[in-house]
Amino acid sequence: MIPETLAGVGHEDGYLEEKAKAIVLLMRMEPELLNETEERKSWSYDGIVAYSKVCTHVGCPVALYEQQTHHLLCPCHQSQFDVANGAEVIFGPAARPLPQLPITVDDEGYLIAQSDFHEPVGPSFWERH
Ligand code: FES
């Protein structure tokens, strides 16, 4: 999914810089590798999942993806999240999984969000009850 602000923008026009500012990560896995809860089976599309990029520890961008293991790494304090299992924390100080953004495909074939995130995005100390 390329945000409207990036449509038609070439790499020479700052595409990578704009992409780096995005706060949602889109990843595609083989659908059979996703261990989704019943509720979240409709939140992905053909193995494509979307998660917040903002680490739940103290908010660094989680942007290092290991394609072979399906792990996302946070470079700040080395938290690791397992994308195949709801981005649950498998290592490090983060206390909760990365929030998932429910996505689908519209009539024109574009990936779209079904709703907002269902839980607060960002560090656990932000807006937590
Ligand atoms: S901010 Fe990600 S592990 Fe600390």
Side-chain angles (χ1 to χ4, degrees):
M1 177 170 66
I2 298 175
E4 193 170 300
T5 55
L6 295 181
V9 177
H11 288 211
E12 68 282 354
D13 297 325
Y15 175 85
L16 292 178
E17 288 79 11
E18 289 301 314
K19 188 176 173 183
K21 294 177 193 171
I23 67 153
V24 173
L25 293 165
L26 276 177
M27 290 144 293
R28 184 168 194 282
M29 301 174 49
E30 294 299 325
E32 63 272 12
L33 296 178
L34 283 173
N35 295 317
E36 298 170 298
T37 63
E38 236 7 86
E39 176 195 15
R40 294 190 180 196
K41 283 188 188 302
S42 64
W43 289 17
S44 62
Y45 184 82
D46 196 24
I48 302 172
V49 289
Y51 284 96
S52 166
K53 184 180 180 179
V54 184
C55 184
T56 55
H57 180 223
V58 292
C60 288
V62 177
L64 304 172
Y65 181 58
E66 291 183 338
Q67 191 172 16
Q68 299 303 315
T69 61
H70 313 295
H71 295 168
L72 277 167
L73 311 176
C74 179
C76 288
H77 311 101
Q78 288 74 52
S79 284
Q80 294 184 28
F81 303 88
D82 186 356
V83 176
N85 290 294
E88 69 181 24
V89 180
I90 54 173
F91 182 80
R96 63 187 180 98
L98 296 172
Q100 185 174 2
L101 183 68
I103 58 170
T104 189
V105 171
D106 70 10
D107 295 340
E108 297 178 33
Y110 291 102
L111 284 173
I112 59 170
Q114 297 181 39
S115 67
D116 200 350
F117 288 97
H118 289 218
E119 59 187 300
V121 168
S124 293
F125 55 81
W126 283 355
E127 298 180 33
R128 301 296 289 177
H129 300 286

